[in-house]
């Protein structure tokens, strides 16, 4: 299936089966906001649990936090968000569509990478088995020409972004003859800075002093609680604080389903370290997070690291883990070495000392911070886009199956009495009661067994337990695997051990210990 079509299929599948609905739909929706339905809420919670347990339960030096969304407005002045949390926007005068100037340029660069890939494919065809990819990339004149141009554009873009040189950013778009995807014209406005924070007023009297912001990242709630947690939890450096919560950004271009929304959820962890050790920890967390993603089993080739061209105002090193979404490789998670910027800024603006005292050396210092920050909604989309499969079976029939990692699936088990009589439903309910304290279960006795299997495939239930007449004779059931469709007969008493191996939390977290 074409990648573009895949996104459309996923969007309609999500709606049909209760994963994601457009928000406020009966009022024609609200741009870039979505509601998670009955299955979406389960999947989202499971992704959260996978992250939360791996951060806090598997690391004795990382603890959790749940800070308020509303915070003192000076926090956002201190963090730099009031002055610098901007995106450079540009409008096309013909289509009246608004774009992020840096995204237009990133897309141009991505097209050049695709051109290189095409040259490589041509080379592969021409040279067959004797093809040496590395040598080809290092010597082919077409590839070298594209790479040189790419390097020049990257350099110019980096300088313009770092210097906030909006004129040159626009000039680069003009020089590269980038056209508006809607109107096809190069009729661009000036580039302007646009602050992404939503603001609202506190109390009944609206005024300058009462303006507060909806947090654009959860991280600041961690920074301002750094000493509270360190002291009350007797934490010793290095240690981390993890938080899951909503964040809000007035994105210029919010699109591509739940990939870029104005209200979304982040899972962030700030790791406090000794100054000078931050880059070692930065490498450490890059590797830990790489393994965490790969452990989901969505395919190694679907991930890549991308170093930031423009470092955020707080970072001395930063990269993204990108995922191969239906729209191509895009940011899934950011890993940032944030230096002591945030804590120092909060010291300055609050007048409170945010030093850590090391009793072993009698030293007092402001820690450096390494952050891992992943978007929950983007993870959700990555799981769905890698899991969504349309298959034609041997008998020519078709099935749509969500091959969601078993431990994350909304329902782990379907319990299906073969027919609605002869005591089979009663036996099925008995098995359900035995398993439902541990696992989410869907009970279904309507329609043919084949139809019921298809329904479970479409919502990603990894195992279907069928209760038949033999069950009443020898206390055994068949258990069907969603992905292979193979059924095996097992004793009812073996079910807990079977499910523990295949879809419990230890089954997915085990490899990370
Ligand atoms: N505290 C650092 C921070 O917020 P970021 O790279 O701006 O860094 C972190 O955001 C992650 O949050 C991103 O990698 C992405 O997964 C998610 N994210 C950011 N903006 C988003 C949006 N508008 N919609 C959905 N997810 C978003």
């Amino acid at each position: 299936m074409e990648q573009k079509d895949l996104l459309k299929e996923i969007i309609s599948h999500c709606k049909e089966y209760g994963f994601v609905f457009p928000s406020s739909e009966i009022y024609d929706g609200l741009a870039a906001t979505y509601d998670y339905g009955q299955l979406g809420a389960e999947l989202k919670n499971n992704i959260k649990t996978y992250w939360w347990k791996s951060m806090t339960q598997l690391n004795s030096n990382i603890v959790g936090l749940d800070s308020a969304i509303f915070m003192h407005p000076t926090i956002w002045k201190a963090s730099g968000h009031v002055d610098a949390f901007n995106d450079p926007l540009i409008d096309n005068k013909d289509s009246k569509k608004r774009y992020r100037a840096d995204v237009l340029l990133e897309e141009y660069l991505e097209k050049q990478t695709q051109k290189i890939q095409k040259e490589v494919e041509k080379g592969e065809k021409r040279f067959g088995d004797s093809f040496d990819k590395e040598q080809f990339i290092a010597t082919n004149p077409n590839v070298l020409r594209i790479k040189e141009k790419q390097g020049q554009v990257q350099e110019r873009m980096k300088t313009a972004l770092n210097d906030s040189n909006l004129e040159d950013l626009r000039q680069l778009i003009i020089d590269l003859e980038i056209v508006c995807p809607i109107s096809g014209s190069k009729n661009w406005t000036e580039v302007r800075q646009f602050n992404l924070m939503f603001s609202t007023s506190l109390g009944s009297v609206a005024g300058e002093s009462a303006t507060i912001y909806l947090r654009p990242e959860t991280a600041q709630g961690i920074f301002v609680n750094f000493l509270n947690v360190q002291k009350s939890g007797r934490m010793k450096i290095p240690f981390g604080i993890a938080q899951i919560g909503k964040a809000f950004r007035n994105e210029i271009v919010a699109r591509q389903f739940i990939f870029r929304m104005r209200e979304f959820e982040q899972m962030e962890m700030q790791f406090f370290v000794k100054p000078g050790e931050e880059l070692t920890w930065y490498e450490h967390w890059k590797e830990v997070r790489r393994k965490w993603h790969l452990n989901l089993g969505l395919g190694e080739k679907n991930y890549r690291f991308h170093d930031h061209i423009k470092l955020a105002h707080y970072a001395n090193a930063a990269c993204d883990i990108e995922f191969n979404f239906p729209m191509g490789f895009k940011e899934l998670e950011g890993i940032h070495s944030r230096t002591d910027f945030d804590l120092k800024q909060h010291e300055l603006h609050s007048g409170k000392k945010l030093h850590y005292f090391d009793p072993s050396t009698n030293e007092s210092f402001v820690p450096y911070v390494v952050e891992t920050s992943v978007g929950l909604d983007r993870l959700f989309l990555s799981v769905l886009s890698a899991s969504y499969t349309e298959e034609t079976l041997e008998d020519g029939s078709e099935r749509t199956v969500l091959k969601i990692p078993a431990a994350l699936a909304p329902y782990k088990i379907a319990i299906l009495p073969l027919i609605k009589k002869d005591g089979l439903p009663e036996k099925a309910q008995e098995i359900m009661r035995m398993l439902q304290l541990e696992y989410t279960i869907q009970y279904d006795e309507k329609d043919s067994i084949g139809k019921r299997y298809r329904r479970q495939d479409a919502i990603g239930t990894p195992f279907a337990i069928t209760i038949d007449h033999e069950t009443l004779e020898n206390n055994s059931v068949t258990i069907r695997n969603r992905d292979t469709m193979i059924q095996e007969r097992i004793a009812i008493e073996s079910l807990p051990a079977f499910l523990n191996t295949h879809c419990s939390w230890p089954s997915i977290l085990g490899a990370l210990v």
Side-chain angles (χ1 to χ4, degrees), residues 217 249 251 259 261 266 268 331-332 338 371 373 375:
E217 61 171 12
R249 295 182 189 178
E251 297 282 0
F259 179 81
M261 297 193 287
Q266 288 186 318
E268 300 202 294
E331 176 184 348
L332 174 63
R338 289 182 79 129
E371 162 184 78
S373 173

Side-chain angles (χ1 to χ4, degrees), residues 81 85 216-220 223 247-249 251 253-254 257-268 270 308 314 319-321 325 331-336 338 371-379:
H81 283 83
F85 195 53
E217 61 171 12
T218 62
Q220 297 305 323
F223 290 124
F248 305 83
R249 295 182 189 178
E251 297 282 0
V253 188
F257 193 34
I258 53 174
F259 179 81
R260 193 179 299 287
M261 297 193 287
R262 298 199 168 102
E263 172 184 343
F264 57 98
E265 232 167 314
Q266 288 186 318
M267 306 196 287
E268 300 202 294
Q270 312 294 322
H308 281 199
Y314 49 70
C319 69
D320 295 335
I321 298 178
F325 288 101
E331 176 184 348
L332 174 63
E333 169 155 358
I335 300 170
H336 313 121
R338 289 182 79 129
E371 162 184 78
T372 73
S373 173
V374 62
L376 177 54
D377 312 87
R378 289 192 189 177
L379 260 172

